[in-house]
Amino acid sequence: MARILCVAEKPSIAKAVANHLGGQARADNVRGIQWVKNYKFDYNFQSWGQSSVTFTSVAGHIQNMEFHTRYQKWTGCQPSELFDAPTEVFVAKDKKPIADNIASLAAHATILFIWTDCDREGEHIGSQVREIALKANPNMQVWRARFSNIERAHIIQAAGNPIRLDDAQVSAVSARIELDLRLGAAFTRMQTLALQNMMPQRDDVKKVISYGSCQFPTLGFVVDRYLRVRNFVPEPFWYIKVVHEKDGINVKFTWRRGHLFDRMAVIIIFERCVSAKVAKVTKTSKKPTKKWKPLPLTTVELQKMGSKFLRLTSQDVMKTAEALYTKGWISYPRTETDQFDRGMDLRKLIERQQQDGRWGPFAQSLMNGGFNQPRNGRNNDKAHPPIHPVNYVAPTQLNDNERRVYEFVVRRFLACCSEDAVGEATDVEIEYGGENFHAHGLTVIARNYLDVYPYDKWESSQNLPQYTVGEQLEPKESSMEEGKTSAPSYLTEPELIALMDANGIGTDATMADHIGKIKDREYVMARVKGAAGGNGGDSAGGNGRGRGRGRGRAGRGGREGAAAGHGEGGAGGAANGGVQEFIPTTLGIALIEGYDNVGFETSLSKPFLRKEMEVQMKAICEGRSSRNDVVQQNLDQYRAVFIRTTQQINVLKAAITKYVVQPNQN
DNA sequence: GCAAGGTC
């Protein structure tokens, strides 16, 4: 009988797959680690026949890359030496029991069957497993399973069709690891050593001034928005408003041109309207409209929605989702997939929610014929399904944060399985003095998914009276109004996550950590949006010294939006306090401005370099580049930035002086 | 005293 060692990326996958293949497989404990189990059972593989199987797992990466000891001490070498200092890869201290477990199991097996997630990092983790197993037993055959979810039929299919590890993907990840280590360490030490002594010290703690290929672009987004707010100059504009009364209803017509920045032009146009006296209806339409139900839930969307509606930071959202997952209430919370597999039994999941007091009745209505297959988004990571509730849990069993996140996940899921909201849109267009104006009305006919999903708002506007084309009307009121453009607001957490996502900064699992890191490093401050007031709420830096600079926000006209006219079908997002917004500290601004002033064409604060690295990783995966070429080329490019920065370190110091040391003298 | 990526 063949002896097969299967290894998954995480315990939950080992358990699920083992149970599909082996029935209620026996679970043995592993020395020195509680959450990893070895499942033992027999299984008849298509390729290897009746076999004795041990199914275990790792917990993410097992090994770490570090510099040789001499280079780990900050005083042991120049930071610039880290570009080519020798490195080694070794088992992380806390992963020792996991590695030992694999080694001892491998010694007694003939075949290694790797079941890590089918993504780039999963491929790399698989290669680490392979390395450890082969060291213990060089004669092993090594195979890999291709699977994208843990549905029974899919898993059995994967068990019968093993493939090979993709070494190109392994190389791509290993290039990333080396670059992140070398660049992170080199720039962090250089910056810290050069600038730390200029920083005002509190409580004798010397803070690291770190650089990382993700944290810097993240900071860059915050600073960029901050500067746009600060440099904002409101601009006045003018527009024409027309009101007509019919059937006792005041109908507000908005100008098709929105607004103009030329006052004289508006005066002339307005006079033409006034002298025309009478307006004419040119177009009416009444047509069905819909508000689409949301897409299946991805990690990025969960974090955006969580920081927007649940009053949690993205880090807390992730921590909470993680806890709900390990307790078995929701599915795996790190996924890019926004489409449910056709074969998945969604009704079974809905059924379990029927007992709830809040959304139970809605779940029942879905079970009684209201069910609709969820929409399909465009993403499928082929590793995990969208986030969904797995089992029902009563609110009393959860803490505050868990309750909120669980509720959101359930409501989102039920909404996905429901129906689009249906409404009727009425549009009326008039011509007045040669200008076009229009009015828009919405009547919600069937709320459908909105009943279970309060995070979306779509409400009927005032009914419009009946108009017919050609009808003449005399406005009750027409006036020329003035407004001014209002400043953008500081970057909110959901906006930042969206920017990171769009620019490929971090992964769904790490974006919240990068945000946490730039807070931790005191590059940015977070505060609740709208809670501006208070003493120095606007102040930057941990040292209590504000920027002393203008508060760019001009009074919010609010009119800009009103004049903008044709919005999409319905009302906008729900108003809700509690969103976090980020303001850079003096240190954060100084770092970004300092690097910008060093004037290299590719500033470290821009997302460009990270994006470029992503493109090169793809090239390695597709065999168009080699790992070595990519690493060397990137090191050369960053080394040039490094040299230039150290030569012009006074530019960086000047920025620190300007913003941190003497913030009020500029 | 450095990074970012997995996961518990």
Side-chain angles (χ1 to χ4, degrees), chain A residues 164-280:
Chain A
R164 296 295 185 181
L165 269 184
D166 179 356
D167 281 298
Q169 289 189 57
V170 175
S171 299
V173 172
S174 124
R176 181 207 42 82
I177 289 172
E178 182 173 345
L179 287 169
D180 281 339
L181 173 66
R182 290 191 187 282
L183 305 175
F187 278 93
T188 299
R189 289 189 199 177
M190 181 269 285
Q191 279 176 185
T192 305
L193 294 172
L195 308 175
Q196 192 175 55
N197 287 335
M198 300 178 69
M199 297 299 295
Q201 241 188 81
R202 301 191 319 270
D203 315 325
D204 277 344
V205 275
K206 289 197 162 189
K207 298 215 72 162
V208 171
I209 302 174
S210 64
Y211 164 80
S213 59
C214 288
Q215 48 179 280
F216 249 53
T218 305
L219 169 61
F221 291 131
V222 175
V223 173
D224 192 61
R225 175 67 71 86
Y226 167 79
L227 292 178
R228 268 162 50 202
V229 173
R230 200 183 72 173
N231 297 332
F232 179 79
V233 181
E235 252 190 292
F237 58 73
W238 293 266
Y239 61 98
I240 300 167
K241 190 175 105 183
V242 174
V243 179
H244 177 241
E245 187 180 343
K246 186 169 184 182
D247 303 341
I249 302 170
N250 276 324
V251 184
K252 257 188 241 150
F253 287 89
T254 52
W255 195 16
R256 267 292 178 213
R257 293 184 199 263
H259 54 248
L260 298 178
F261 292 97
D262 182 338
R263 183 165 171 268
M264 268 323 288
V266 179
I267 288 175
I268 290 165
I269 294 169
F270 179 59
E271 278 170 355
R272 274 208 296 258
C273 294
V274 173
S275 57
K277 287 202 173 75
V278 178
K280 194 170 78 183

Side-chain angles (χ1 to χ4, degrees), chain A residues 111-407:
Chain A
I111 292 170
L112 173 64
F113 196 6
I114 294 165
W115 288 75
T116 47
D117 291 359
C118 288
D119 51 30
R120 241 171 13 205
E121 296 292 334
E123 216 65 18
H124 189 261
I125 293 168
S127 79
Q128 298 181 346
V129 171
R130 174 177 62 186
E131 189 184 321
I132 290 164
L134 285 180
K135 209 177 274 172
N137 179 357
N139 298 321
M140 285 188 109
Q141 275 186 52
V142 182
W143 293 94
R144 192 227 202 295
R146 176 163 43 201
F147 68 109
S148 58
N149 62 63
I150 49 170
E151 289 270 280
R152 178 181 205 86
H154 185 72
I155 288 302
I156 287 168
Q157 166 78 13
N161 296 280
I163 57 170
R164 296 295 185 181
L165 269 184
D166 179 356
D167 281 298
Q169 289 189 57
V170 175
S171 299
V173 172
S174 124
R176 181 207 42 82
I177 289 172
E178 182 173 345
L179 287 169
D180 281 339
L181 173 66
R182 290 191 187 282
L183 305 175
F187 278 93
T188 299
R189 289 189 199 177
M190 181 269 285
Q191 279 176 185
T192 305
L193 294 172
L195 308 175
Q196 192 175 55
N197 287 335
M198 300 178 69
M199 297 299 295
Q201 241 188 81
R202 301 191 319 270
D203 315 325
D204 277 344
V205 275
K206 289 197 162 189
K207 298 215 72 162
V208 171
I209 302 174
S210 64
Y211 164 80
S213 59
C214 288
Q215 48 179 280
F216 249 53
T218 305
L219 169 61
F221 291 131
V222 175
V223 173
D224 192 61
R225 175 67 71 86
Y226 167 79
L227 292 178
R228 268 162 50 202
V229 173
R230 200 183 72 173
N231 297 332
F232 179 79
V233 181
E235 252 190 292
F237 58 73
W238 293 266
Y239 61 98
I240 300 167
K241 190 175 105 183
V242 174
V243 179
H244 177 241
E245 187 180 343
K246 186 169 184 182
D247 303 341
I249 302 170
N250 276 324
V251 184
K252 257 188 241 150
F253 287 89
T254 52
W255 195 16
R256 267 292 178 213
R257 293 184 199 263
H259 54 248
L260 298 178
F261 292 97
D262 182 338
R263 183 165 171 268
M264 268 323 288
V266 179
I267 288 175
I268 290 165
I269 294 169
F270 179 59
E271 278 170 355
R272 274 208 296 258
C273 294
V274 173
S275 57
K277 287 202 173 75
V278 178
K280 194 170 78 183
V281 177
T282 53
K283 212 159 129 191
T284 66
S285 78
K286 194 173 248 202
K287 50 186 175 209
T289 177
K290 276 184 187 174
K291 186 168 177 65
W292 288 0
K293 61 185 182 180
L295 286 169
L297 187 60
T298 63
T299 305
V300 170
E301 179 73 3
L302 172 65
Q303 293 183 52
K304 282 197 276 189
M305 296 299 282
S307 47
K308 200 162 169 185
F309 294 113
L310 308 182
R311 292 170 186 250
L312 296 171
T313 65
S314 54
Q315 264 184 322
D316 285 335
V317 170
M318 284 313 286
K319 222 169 64 198
T320 308
E322 185 79 48
L324 290 168
Y325 159 67
T326 46
K327 289 182 208 164
W329 307 131
I330 66 170
S331 65
Y332 190 62
R334 290 186 279 272
T335 175
E336 293 172 34
T337 307
D338 52 12
Q339 10 181 286
F340 280 105
D341 254 30
R342 272 279 163 184
M344 204 166 147
D345 191 353
L346 303 176
R347 283 192 171 79
K348 195 174 71 194
L349 302 172
I350 297 169
E351 199 175 3
R352 293 178 186 155
Q353 298 297 332
Q354 292 184 117
Q355 56 189 297
D356 188 87
R358 294 154 293 176
W359 53 76
F362 192 88
Q364 274 168 35
S365 75
L366 293 185
M367 292 305 291
N368 297 330
F371 175 82
N372 273 275
Q373 185 65 23
R375 294 164 56 203
N376 274 347
R378 280 200 220 115
N379 309 292
N380 196 329
D381 62 18
K382 298 282 166 64
H384 309 283
I387 303 167
H388 60 272
V390 175
N391 280 306
Y392 179 74
V393 56
T396 47
Q397 304 221 42
L398 300 174
N399 69 34
D400 223 41
N401 288 356
E402 289 170 348
R403 204 156 38 234
R404 272 183 276 180
V405 173
Y406 182 73
E407 172 167 358

